Amino acid sequence: MNTRLSKIVCLFLIICLSLITLSPDSLSKEAWILASIYLAAIIGLVSKPYPEPVIIIAALAASCIASTHFSGSTIKPLDVVNGYSSGTTWLVFSAFTLSAAFVSTGLCCCHGSAICNTRTGYGRRSDNPFMSHFIF
């Protein structure tokens, strides 16, 4: 079986198990399903069957569908995406994106070579096994 397909089947299996099993006494069925969607999203982000944005958008869509499925739901579809209107969320997202870009392009060691050299103990960039492919 294809590894991507097996990862996707595993994610759907997590959600399907929450549909067929009973929820704990302290949780409603809706909360139980939303928790399984959240768990499947985390496992999907770790196992990476698709890129991160695809996993997150699929989890958001599944959460919206799950919240509209229940008739007496206290969660509206707009409540699912309401957290993205916060400026703090976008600040954290921007910080992670910029830091990943600096690390993947090697700019962190080009502009902060004194910091990188003291932390890693490598004298030259070519000695660093993580940065050896960024030799200019």
Side-chain angles (χ1 to χ4, degrees):
M1 183 183 260
N2 187 0
T3 58
R4 177 181 279 184
L5 182 62
S6 64
K7 291 175 184 178
I8 293 170
V9 167
C10 178
L11 298 179
F12 279 112
L13 186 65
I14 292 170
I15 297 171
C16 290
L17 283 175
S18 72
L19 293 173
I20 60 175
T21 59
L22 294 174
S23 61
D25 294 334
S26 60
L27 288 178
S28 66
K29 187 67 175 174
E30 179 185 19
W32 182 244
I33 292 171
L34 288 174
S36 70
I37 292 171
Y38 180 71
L39 179 66
I42 290 173
I43 292 173
L45 289 172
V46 172
S47 65
K48 296 185 181 189
Y50 288 107
E52 289 88 357
V54 175
I55 302 284
I56 295 299
I57 290 173
L60 282 172
S63 298
C64 287
I65 291 169
S67 65
T68 58
H69 175 71
F70 294 95
S71 59
S73 175
T74 58
I75 301 173
K76 308 288 184 278
L78 287 177
D79 292 337
V80 174
V81 294
N82 194 24
Y84 292 100
S85 66
S86 171
T88 307
T89 303
W90 290 106
L91 176 69
V92 170
F93 173 74
S94 300
F96 277 115
T97 303
L98 286 174
S99 66
F102 269 85
V103 170
S104 66
T105 59
L107 287 174
C108 65
C109 288
C110 292
H111 295 294
S113 61
I115 295 171
C116 288
N117 288 340
T118 58
R119 285 189 182 167
T120 60
Y122 296 109
R124 295 179 309 206
R125 197 174 5 180
S126 61
D127 294 337
N128 188 337
F130 301 109
M131 298 301 294
S132 60
H133 57 283
F134 288 114
I135 297 175
F136 303 127

